[in-house]
Amino acid sequence: MVSVNVSAAGKPIALARGLPMVVELSGKQLEDATIADVKSAIAEKFPRFYLDRQKITLKDSKNILADDVMLKVAGVAEGGELSVKDLGPQISWKTVFLVEYAGPLFIHPMIYYFPKIFYGGPVQHSMLQRYVLAFVMLHFAKRELETLFVHRFSHATMPFMNIFKNSAHYHLGSGLALAYSIYSPVYGAASPYIRGTVRNDPLYIQAGAAIWLFSEISNLIIHIKLRKLRPAGSRKRAIPQGYGFNLVSFPNYFFEFLGWLVIAALTGSYVAWIFLVISTYQMYVWAIKKHRAYRKEFGSDYPRDRKAMFPFIA
């Protein structure tokens, strides 16, 4: 049996008023007892203080200890001390993703099919508007299906309040703002902005659709390859290879950028361009951070000429 002392990090935890406490792990030794075992024992004592709310660290340390870390590896001796912090209410990543992507799937057809509510009258939709609606609906339907059947998450949950911040990007940006702009009479079939211009040329629109389709299929291929790199229930990481990865560390972000670039270029909508800039900046920040993590983790084994997101550039 292993025993460790657990106390609250900082202020007392409302859901665990009995801290500090001695956690006894029956049938365990330092060599096989993990942080997850400690969390389970705490949750058994304080059921409302469930595992995903707990952040375990060494005493007087701020570095979080992952669930699969052995106590011995973490430097915890028999009777050693650990600290626990309440991360607050949590929500699963999968739930957040599903809610995020559901917004545009609801908002776009609402504005497209009920223009009288939003614009005060009917809109004779142009070919461009029909294609954009198809792009958006297929894109976010794909994302919902990927969330359910493809993505594997390295962390089970995130703080509950993040769902509002994360959803705002999609519900307000690629949802309400983009839909209200593009399905308006300005882009309708009778508009001088559309009629007699390249924006009403089937060849121009279909060429854009071909690029968009290529980017969506490529994005899906990358996500499937990433899934295969991480066995279910593990945090194992490996160097991605093959389709797109020979040029950049995160081709999924590049193909996501390319798909939204098509919509911005076809429509010329300032809202589409603003959304493209904001989303691309965020993806690039993520790509740089993860690219550096890859280099740090794999060292000289990681391809030196591979860029983060944009082939041959950055």
Side-chain angles (χ1 to χ4, degrees), residues 157-175:
T157 64
M158 66 170 71
F160 178 79
M161 295 304 295
N162 281 13
I163 192 172
F164 301 103
K165 178 184 69 175
N166 290 24
S167 296
H169 175 74
Y170 293 100
H171 293 195
L172 301 180
S174 57

Side-chain angles (χ1 to χ4, degrees), residues 36-305:
D37 294 326
V38 176
K39 284 186 173 183
S40 297
I42 296 172
E44 185 176 354
K45 176 73 173 178
F46 310 106
R48 293 175 59 200
F49 193 28
Y50 50 88
L51 275 67
D52 290 323
R53 287 189 71 139
Q54 300 175 34
K55 174 186 175 182
I56 302 287
T57 64
L58 295 175
K59 188 72 173 178
D60 300 323
S61 172
K62 294 184 178 180
N63 296 326
I64 188 170
L65 295 173
D67 288 356
D68 57 355
V69 172
M70 303 291 183
L71 294 184
K72 185 174 181 179
V73 173
V76 180
E78 169 65 28
E81 294 188 83
L82 292 171
S83 296
V84 60
K85 180 180 179 180
D86 183 7
L87 296 174
Q90 300 289 298
I91 187 170
S92 74
W93 277 82
K94 180 173 287 189
T95 300
V96 172
F97 276 30
L98 291 173
V99 171
E100 287 175 358
Y101 305 148
L105 286 172
F106 173 78
I107 293 168
H108 277 259
M110 278 291 295
I111 295 179
Y112 183 91
Y113 288 110
F114 300 98
K116 189 173 182 179
I117 296 174
F118 298 95
Y119 307 113
V123 174
Q124 183 184 354
H125 291 120
S126 63
M127 177 187 293
L128 178 60
Q129 289 174 317
R130 293 194 293 272
Y131 268 78
V132 170
L133 177 65
F135 292 162
V136 171
M137 297 301 288
L138 289 171
H139 173 77
F140 285 106
K142 165 183 162 292
R143 285 212 173 182
E144 294 278 30
L145 292 172
E146 286 177 334
T147 299
L148 291 172
F149 303 111
V150 178
H151 292 322
R152 285 180 175 149
F153 302 97
S154 56
H155 299 284
T157 64
M158 66 170 71
F160 178 79
M161 295 304 295
N162 281 13
I163 192 172
F164 301 103
K165 178 184 69 175
N166 290 24
S167 296
H169 175 74
Y170 293 100
H171 293 195
L172 301 180
S174 57
L176 185 61
L178 186 66
Y180 187 80
S181 168
I182 290 180
Y183 305 136
S184 73
V186 173
Y187 295 89
S191 170
Y193 183 74
I194 297 296
R195 189 177 55 199
T197 71
V198 70
R199 297 181 185 87
N200 202 37
D201 182 350
L203 183 60
Y204 175 73
I205 294 174
Q206 289 164 8
I211 298 172
W212 178 87
L213 184 61
F214 164 73
S215 69
E216 291 291 314
I217 293 175
S218 296
N219 182 266
L220 174 60
I221 291 172
I222 297 302
H223 287 159
I224 292 174
K225 289 180 74 69
L226 289 172
R227 172 186 172 85
K228 292 178 179 178
L229 283 177
R230 176 178 291 163
S234 80
R235 296 189 179 188
K236 179 182 177 182
R237 287 157 60 91
I239 299 175
Q241 304 287 350
Y243 193 89
F245 288 108
N246 293 333
L247 296 175
V248 295
S249 294
F250 297 94
N252 50 324
Y253 292 158
F254 173 75
F255 290 123
E256 178 86 4
F257 154 78
L258 185 61
W260 288 109
L261 176 63
V262 167
I263 293 176
L266 285 180
T267 63
S269 165
Y270 70 90
V271 174
W273 283 108
I274 291 173
F275 178 76
L276 174 67
V277 169
I278 293 173
S279 58
T280 302
Y281 170 77
Q282 182 60 74
M283 287 188 291
Y284 182 66
V285 169
W286 291 335
I288 287 293
K289 181 180 179 180
K290 296 177 182 179
H291 181 68
R292 289 171 178 167
Y294 270 147
R295 288 190 176 279
K296 181 178 180 180
E297 180 176 356
F298 296 109
S300 59
D301 291 334
Y302 199 75
R304 295 181 60 84
D305 57 348

Side-chain angles (χ1 to χ4, degrees), residues 2-18:
V2 178
S3 63
V4 292
N5 297 293
V6 179
S7 58
K11 62 183 181 180
I13 298 172
L15 300 181
R17 291 293 186 186

